[in-house]
Amino acid sequence: MISIAILGYGTVGSGVFEVFRTNSKSIAKKVGEEVKVKYVLDIKEFPADDPVNEVLTRDFDVILNDPEVSIVVEVLGGVEPSNTWATKCLEKGKSVCTSNKELVAKHGAKLIALAKEKNVNFFFEASVGGGIPIIRPLNHSVTADEILEISGILNGTTNYMLTKMTDEGVDYDTILKDAQAKGYAELHPEADVEGHDACRKIAILTSLAYGKQVDFEDIYTEGITNISDDDIKYAKAMNKKIKLLGTSCEVDGKVYAMVAPFMIGDYHPLYNVNDVFNAVFVKGNMVDDLMFYGKGAGKLPTAAAVSADVVEAARNLGRNIPIIWEQEKLELAPAGDFEHNFFVRVEEVEEYQINMIEDLFGGVLPIELEEDEMEGEYAFMTPIMKEADFQDKIKELDHVVSVIRVK
C-alpha cells in the first residue's frame, strides 16, 4: 500500500480526499497497489460526521517524519509555508504534487532540481488550467517540437465576465457584482481582474516551453478593469471578441511574454472559449496547432488533475521523471518590441485630427458603429507595429478613451 498525505483541506484538498475515497479501486488498478490517504493536515475543526476526522492531523512533523508517507499533496495556496514544507518533504525523499500556482511560478525550478537530486518527483499539473492537461503534454508529448507560441485563456473569472459583457451588453461593474454573487470572483478580485493570476500561469507555461526560469514579475501585465461595454460594441462591429490572454512566443530567437486583453476573430482557436472555461493554444514548429480545453478551476476538476499527478508519482516511486526547467533565468525580450495591431478610441475628434491620425500611424482602418452610437468619437485599428512605437505615437493624441491589442 502507498500512503499519501494532503496539506490543506480546503476546496481542492477536500476534492483530492474525495477522489481517493470514491475511485480507490480504479486507482489501485492503475497504480498496481492501493493508494490511501493516511493524513490530512489542517488547523480547522470539521463536522463530526466528516470522514476526514479519521486521518486529520495538525502537526506537519507527523507527516514529514512518517516513513510510510511517500507522496505529499500540497494544496495550501500561497508561497509560505508551502515552499518550506514542500522543500522539507522533497529532502525527506517524498514526492510532492501541488496545484499552487504561486509556489510553482516562484520556486518551481528550484523544487524540480531538488526532486531530481533526491530521486523523487515534483508534479504540478493543476497549477495551470485546473483540470486541463497541459503541463504533462508540454513535458512529454511535444518534446520533439520547438514551441513557437503559447496563448491561453487562463482565468475563468475574467472569461466569464467578458463573455457576459459580450452576450448581454452589461457594463463591467454590473458583471463583477454578478460574478461575485455566483462565487466566480472573490470579494477582493484584483488577482483575477488585474491579470496577476493569468500572469503566473503564463510564466509557468513559458518556463516549461523554453526550459528556463521566467519570472512573472518580468511579464507585462494588464487586466480587464478598463474594458467597457462600448469596447464590446466595437469588438462586435469588427466580428471579434475581447479575451484576456496570457501569451508568449519566440521570434528570431527572442522570447516575448504578455498578459493583456486582446481582440480575436472567429479564425482564432480561442474565439469560442466562453464562460468559466479555460483553454491553451500551443503552436509547435512540427506539430503545428494544438488546443487544450476544459474547466480551468473548480473543486473536482482541479482535484482530478492533482490526483492524476499522485497516480503518476505512485507509478514512479524511486524514479525521477525529468522536467526541463532550469534555474537559470530566461531574459524576456523587451515588451516594447512585441508587435500587434492596436484598436484605439479617441473622443472629440475634428476632421483635421483624423488626417493627423492617419499620417501618424501610417494608415489606419476606421471602425464605425451603426447609427452613430458614439457620435464625436473616432475609432480605428492601426497597422501591425511595435509596442514601443505605438506608445510613442499615442502620446501625441488627446482624449484617448481606450486601447486594446488585436491578435
Side-chain angles (χ1 to χ4, degrees), residues 90-275:
L90 292 170
E91 288 173 340
K92 276 278 192 177
K94 304 177 191 295
S95 291
V96 174
C97 304
T98 185
S99 62
N100 187 339
K101 57 185 172 290
E102 292 91 351
L103 172 65
V104 178
K106 188 74 175 178
H107 297 294
K110 179 202 73 173
L111 295 170
I112 288 167
L114 179 58
K116 181 179 180 181
E117 177 189 333
K118 298 298 181 179
N119 204 32
V120 291
N121 289 291
F122 177 69
F123 291 149
F124 45 94
E125 181 63 69
S127 65
V128 176
I132 303 171
I134 181 61
I135 304 298
R136 196 167 287 112
L138 282 178
N139 193 41
H140 296 292
S141 302
V142 293
T143 51
D145 273 67
E146 294 181 9
I147 303 300
L148 304 178
E149 178 186 350
I150 298 178
S151 291
I153 294 172
L154 302 171
N155 182 269
T157 298
T158 52
N159 201 43
Y160 171 82
M161 293 172 63
L162 290 171
T163 298
K164 291 298 182 183
M165 290 175 72
T166 299
D167 293 347
E168 300 176 9
V170 293
D171 60 60
Y172 174 86
D173 291 333
T174 299
I175 203 61
L176 175 58
K177 291 176 182 177
D178 172 72
Q180 289 171 323
K182 291 180 177 176
Y184 295 146
E186 301 289 342
L187 179 61
H188 301 287
E190 291 80 11
D192 294 323
V193 299
E194 297 287 357
H196 304 311
D197 176 75
C199 178
R200 285 171 171 78
K201 293 172 180 177
I202 196 64
I204 294 169
L205 293 177
T206 308
S207 298
L208 286 169
Y210 301 106
K212 295 181 180 180
Q213 172 68 23
V214 174
D215 292 342
F216 64 86
E217 297 95 339
D218 295 340
I219 297 175
Y220 176 85
T221 301
E222 189 178 306
I224 68 166
T225 53
N226 292 324
I227 300 297
S228 71
D229 48 334
D230 289 330
D231 293 323
I232 299 290
K233 291 176 184 177
Y234 278 108
K236 287 182 176 181
M238 299 166 66
N239 294 316
K240 297 182 186 297
K241 292 180 181 178
I242 300 174
K243 300 289 186 182
L244 182 69
L245 300 184
T247 184
S248 64
C249 62
E250 182 177 2
V251 181
D252 297 329
K254 297 178 180 179
V255 177
Y256 298 84
M258 175 178 286
V259 174
F262 282 82
M263 287 186 178
I264 58 175
D266 59 6
Y267 50 82
H268 198 286
L270 297 173
Y271 178 83
N272 285 317
V273 179
N274 295 317
D275 294 311

Side-chain angles (χ1 to χ4, degrees), residues 40-54:
V40 172
L41 175 73
D42 206 294
I43 61 172
K44 298 189 295 292
E45 296 286 343
F46 299 99
D49 60 347
D50 193 322
V52 75
N53 289 301
E54 299 173 11

Side-chain angles (χ1 to χ4, degrees), residues 276-288:
V276 295
F277 282 85
N278 285 191
V280 181
F281 166 73
V282 178
K283 178 182 283 291
N285 70 333
M286 295 296 162
V287 75
D288 203 23

